[in-house]
Amino acid sequence: MALKWSDVTPEADYLCRRAFLATGVAALATPALGLGGKPSGLSTDETPNSFEDITNYNNFYEFGTGKTDPAQYAGSLKTAPWSVQIDGMVDRPGSYGVEDLTPEAALEERVYRLRCVEGWSMVIPWLGVPLAGVLGKAGVQPGAKYVAFRTLHDPEQMPGQRSRVIDWPYREGLRLDEAMHPLTILATGLYGRVLPNQNGAPIRLVVPWKYGFKSIKSLVSITLTDKQPQTSWQMLQPGEYGFYANVNPQVDHPRWSQATERRIGSGLFGGRQETLMFNGYGDQVAGLYAGMDLAKHY
Ligand SMILES: Nc1nc2c(c(=O)[nH]1)N[C@H]1C(S)=C(S)[C@@H](COP(=O)(O)O)O[C@H]1N2
Ligand SMILES: [Mo]
């Protein structure tokens, strides 16, 4: 059985602990060991980025558009108590507490590549649960075809929402089969720790074969629907950002190539590496798009 990254890497653990203290993330019940989390065969064996990279280079426009704004400003977001409204075409609509959706004993470690549409990437050891199980708790009705997600809308706590860069709240969506795919998780932690606010605490979506903007942070609602939901980036620039947003080195952004990416932490001379179709998850997900023109459905 594979060990968790955090079991075998004292250096990462050290970096993690140091950054953990420095960023003042709330302590866990088991601070010495961190949260458990069963390792998963769905993880990459690539070296994860350091905790410091993962928590200091972020996109979270609710706290500003600069990469270091979230680390600087997201700390004050009140992440407990927190519940997620699950509604629409489900048998058991309602408000679900994060602890009930993601019990500690159910957490799995998933080391995933994250490829931002801007052309940079990281490897992040998430802790989370498959979204499929969460949707199962609510009971998806037969007519549902899509899942719509929303982030908290609270300009008092999220100062970035006082300016209209986005039509708040931040919205995302998946086709139901994408949402039910075993790679799709709701994360509540990383590096064996509770999720830092800048990474979307207390609960965020992670869909590793799609551009990072699909992985919506600080979720407050999940709605099952039969219509393709509107999504924030598509609403803003439909010619640049599509609903599918599958990582695809052959379909360039209108303003830049998507053929390569810069791995954060690779250093000044790290150069760029080739971007992989579906961010390297093609074996698992290509079947979802059989027969679709991926240049048209970008
Ligand atoms: N609510 C919300 N979710 C969001 C964003 C955001 O601005 N607001 N940015 C997205 C983008 S563009 C990326 S690349 C990832 C970054 O996740 P990370 O900061 O945890 O690496 O979050 C995504 N989720
Ligand atoms: Mo992104």
Side-chain angles (χ1 to χ4, degrees), residues 54 57-62 64 70 114-118 120 122 124 126 151-152 158 166 168 170-171 190 198-200 204 211-218 233:
I54 295 169
Y57 190 91
N58 301 98
N59 275 332
F60 200 171
Y61 278 23
E62 284 83 345
L114 177 113
R115 169 57 157 86
C116 177
V117 75
E118 296 165 337
W120 53 266
M122 293 204 206
I124 304 181
W126 302 107
T151 292
L152 177 70
M158 296 177 143
I166 279 172
W168 309 107
Y170 193 102
R171 290 159 232 211
L190 61 81
Q198 56 267 44
N199 295 94
R204 61 92 58 86
Y211 289 119
F213 67 82
K214 297 294 289 182
S215 294
I216 181 173
K217 296 178 170 182
S218 304
W233 288 99

Side-chain angles (χ1 to χ4, degrees), residues 30-290:
T30 52
L33 296 171
L35 283 171
K38 294 164 271 174
S40 164
L42 296 166
S43 290
T44 174
D45 57 9
E46 282 169 83
T47 305
N49 280 85
S50 69
F51 186 89
E52 293 196 81
D53 282 345
I54 295 169
T55 57
N56 287 287
Y57 190 91
N58 301 98
N59 275 332
F60 200 171
Y61 278 23
E62 284 83 345
F63 296 99
T65 54
K67 293 288 180 279
T68 56
D69 287 341
Q72 208 181 334
Y73 302 116
S76 58
L77 177 67
K78 190 169 177 276
T79 57
W82 191 283
S83 53
V84 180
Q85 176 74 21
I86 306 184
D87 56 20
M89 303 175 77
V90 291
D91 293 332
R92 292 172 288 282
S95 177
Y96 290 80
V98 171
E99 322 68 52
D100 302 327
L101 293 179
T102 60
E104 221 177 288
L107 296 179
E108 297 175 38
E109 177 161 85
R110 298 286 183 91
V111 186
Y112 284 165
R113 290 175 289 275
L114 177 113
R115 169 57 157 86
C116 177
V117 75
E118 296 165 337
W120 53 266
S121 65
M122 293 204 206
V123 175
I124 304 181
W126 302 107
L127 278 179
V129 301
L131 175 61
V134 167
L135 297 181
K137 283 187 207 218
V140 177
Q141 294 180 347
K145 294 196 182 75
Y146 294 92
V147 189
F149 304 88
R150 288 181 180 224
T151 292
L152 177 70
H153 188 196
D154 182 357
E156 294 276 306
Q157 287 203 80
M158 296 177 143
Q161 291 179 337
R162 294 174 211 159
S163 78
R164 292 216 151 257
V165 270
I166 279 172
D167 184 5
W168 309 107
Y170 193 102
R171 290 159 232 211
E172 259 310 331
L174 294 173
R175 229 169 48 189
L176 184 60
D177 58 345
E178 298 175 323
M180 299 299 280
H181 193 280
L183 282 169
T184 305
I185 61 168
L186 291 177
T188 56
L190 61 81
Y191 261 123
R193 308 279 168 173
V194 74
L195 197 62
N197 286 4
Q198 56 267 44
N199 295 94
I203 183 165
R204 61 92 58 86
L205 182 69
V206 181
V207 195
W209 71 93
K210 293 177 179 282
Y211 289 119
F213 67 82
K214 297 294 289 182
S215 294
I216 181 173
K217 296 178 170 182
S218 304
L219 268 179
V220 292
S221 88
I222 300 178
T223 304
L224 279 290
T225 161
D226 56 1
K227 296 192 184 57
Q228 184 175 304
Q230 287 210 300
T231 62
S232 288
W233 288 99
Q234 199 180 20
M235 288 160 72
L236 202 64
Q237 287 289 3
E240 299 191 356
Y241 309 101
F243 175 79
Y244 282 93
N246 291 313
V247 174
N248 189 339
Q250 284 142 35
V251 176
D252 287 338
H253 186 279
R255 292 182 281 131
W256 58 85
S257 164
Q258 293 291 26
T260 64
E261 65 199 53
R262 178 174 63 97
R263 181 61 57 83
I264 300 299
S266 60
L268 270 182
F269 308 103
R272 297 179 73 87
Q273 61 188 69
E274 282 183 13
T275 288
L276 303 173
M277 186 66 202
F278 296 115
N279 203 22
Y281 299 96
D283 286 351
Q284 291 104 306
V285 303
L288 296 173
Y289 310 103

